[in-house]
Amino acid sequence: MLIQATFGHGMLHRLGLSRGAQDLLSALIDLQEPGGEVRVSQQELAARVGLGKNAASTAMAALVDRHLVLRPEHSYRTYILHPYIAGYESVEALAAAVREAARSIANGTLGEPSAPRYETAPPKRQHRELRAVRGA
């Protein structure tokens, strides 16, 4: 059983994640190895949570954009959870990872989990009634 870092979990509600992104993040957390590494394809993740290919791609892009999931360069089928939400084998490993993450965030080499900042908010989804159209 891993000791889960909870620094990031307390602010997840502020990140505006879709239900699909939340489900994908939950699956990543469930499948992680100590330190937050997850070796699984996006297709396997999508199947695990019941998302289609496009929905999974959009959800993963949101997780990466918000710095919750890191994608190593030149690595297929590997994701790394941000140290603030990853799990560790010991309290000492957790403390060391969090200290290193804080240093990396301070020097700009690691993004801090955050909601996207918009100059103007994106439009809200409009629910419109369906109308019948006369056939020609």
Side-chain angles (χ1 to χ4, degrees), residues 15 107 131-132:
L15 297 183
N107 71 26
R131 296 182 187 173

Side-chain angles (χ1 to χ4, degrees), residues 9-135:
H9 293 278
M11 56 75 195
L12 288 176
H13 70 279
R14 292 184 279 154
L15 297 183
L17 295 173
S18 68
R19 178 68 180 179
Q22 291 175 31
D23 289 347
L24 218 54
L25 181 59
S26 178
L28 288 162
I29 289 170
D30 187 42
L31 296 170
Q32 72 177 309
E33 296 174 18
E37 186 172 345
V38 183
R39 294 178 186 264
V40 65
S41 72
Q42 189 168 300
Q43 183 177 357
E44 292 167 320
L45 283 169
R48 184 179 181 102
V49 299
L51 291 176
K53 182 179 179 180
N54 290 340
S57 181
T58 300
M60 184 60 74
L63 295 175
V64 171
D65 184 51
R66 288 164 174 81
H67 308 291
L68 296 168
V69 175
L70 312 172
R71 293 292 315 258
E73 288 186 41
H74 310 295
S75 182
Y76 174 71
R77 298 175 47 103
T78 301
Y79 302 93
I80 299 174
L81 295 172
H82 192 284
Y84 284 3
I85 60 170
Y88 301 91
E89 289 182 313
S90 68
V91 173
E92 294 78 17
L94 167 65
V98 168
R99 278 193 304 273
E100 180 58 32
R103 277 194 290 271
S104 296
I105 289 168
N107 71 26
T109 59
L110 177 65
E112 185 170 11
S114 61
R117 293 186 174 99
Y118 300 105
E119 287 184 26
T120 59
K124 295 192 184 253
R125 178 178 241 171
Q126 299 292 321
H127 294 284
R128 297 181 184 172
E129 293 181 30
L130 296 176
R131 296 182 187 173
V133 178
R134 284 194 171 164

